Amino acid sequence: MIRSLLFAFLLAATSWAQAQNLVKLKAGMVTGIDQIGLPIALERGFFEKYGLDVTIARPYATGVDALNALQAGESEIVQVGVPMIGAVLRGMDLVALGNYSGSATRLGSDATMALIARADSGIAKGDLKTLKGKRIAASFGTINHLYILALLEKAGLTPNDVTLVNTPPPDMTVALLAKGIDAFSAWDPWPIVALKDVPGAVEVIRGGDVIAYLGYNVALRSWVAKNGASIEKFLAAVSEADQWMRANPKAAAQVATRWIPGLKADVAEAAMAFNIKQNDRRLSANNYRALWSAQDRLARLGILKSTFDVNKHIDPSFMLKVMASHPKLLSDLPPIPASVAVGQGYEFKP
């Protein structure tokens, strides 16, 4: 009896000591199904496994909101894509450390994006030319803005041929129901939500490889310089969470319902099927090109007045160490082609 009590005491003391040694870290996410690897790592205990005590800030409506929170100190590392561009050009010294969504093996990757229209909008399924003259919602400065711009280009249209309405994704379904817009461009789960909640809603296009998806783990350079070991632990933990998600999409969808307000299980499961197609934490030349090509498109369309060198704002060193030291966490992913593999000191040249 005494021996059992002593063992229980020692076990509790060891757990307490381990908890005291965990490194605290504040992370932020957006209300997108592709962001769910972060809370999975928390709920499944992967952060603790790698020595971290992670707190996740409330899900933000867009990456712009997440970056504002990062700048305010509410988070130390966040998951964003296109909003990183505007933030860097405004003087925010950001560094991309790994992916939360995208593809290290190929350039085109937008399976989690879709364009949804009202039944009476006059927009025909699969016919992007029918977008001309329509009111289309997008969240300016985000990936869904980039996606609609690419779709317009594919149709031979320009942004001047439509009226773009700046709208947060959670509000898009309501706007469609109220007939304030004819269509919207967004990431999952919002297109799937609209297809269920808006009578007769039409999926005009899903994906299409019209853009290379941007989805990075991002932090301020000043924080990165002091927290290299924690960054490696963080990337290892979310890589393990990603692998679990790819193997257990239905269970991962249940996690999403706990983190995205109002998300129903059937919608989450449908969205997760698309998410795991581009769930790849690794970095390659394709991810550099994704950031470069997004800037190139926005500059050509006159939305950006300047651009920046992507090499100065992507640091693959931490993820490369995870890829080398934890290969089993990535073993279910297709190998990165040698032509786009990167190493320490890699420099992207357009």
Side-chain angles (χ1 to χ4, degrees), residues 64-89:
V64 175
D65 303 302
L67 286 173
N68 289 339
L70 180 70
Q71 195 163 35
E74 188 175 321
S75 299
E76 293 165 317
I77 187 168
V78 296
Q79 301 189 142
V80 298
V82 173
M84 175 188 177
I85 296 172
V88 169
L89 291 174

Side-chain angles (χ1 to χ4, degrees), residues 8 19 21 60 70 80 87 105 111 127 156 190 202 232 248 264 272 276 291 300 306 308-309 315 327 333 335:
N21 292 328
Y60 303 101
L70 180 70
V80 298
T105 60
D127 186 356
W190 307 113
V202 177
E232 288 177 39
N248 303 277
K264 297 178 181 177
M272 189 60 67
I276 59 176
L291 185 56
R300 283 190 288 103
S306 61
F308 57 82
D309 182 355
D315 185 346
L333 293 168

Side-chain angles (χ1 to χ4, degrees), residues 1 11 13 15 25 75 108 146 162 165 217 241 245 280 317 333 337:
M1 177 68 174
L11 185 63
S15 298
L25 192 153
S75 299
L146 186 69
V162 300
V165 183
N217 297 116
M245 175 166 53
D280 188 346
S317 61
L333 293 168

Side-chain angles (χ1 to χ4, degrees), residues 267-320:
V267 173
E269 288 180 22
M272 189 60 67
F274 295 112
N275 178 48
I276 59 176
K277 293 180 180 180
Q278 59 183 59
N279 172 237
D280 188 346
R281 200 71 57 165
R282 302 170 300 175
L283 286 171
S284 76
N286 285 334
N287 307 112
Y288 282 77
R289 183 168 292 278
L291 185 56
W292 174 84
S293 63
Q295 290 190 84
D296 180 63
R297 171 171 276 118
L298 294 171
R300 283 190 288 103
L301 294 174
I303 294 170
L304 293 184
K305 303 304 179 186
S306 61
T307 59
F308 57 82
D309 182 355
V310 299
N311 294 293
K312 295 180 179 178
H313 294 277
I314 299 178
D315 185 346
S317 61
F318 307 102
M319 192 62 218
L320 287 173

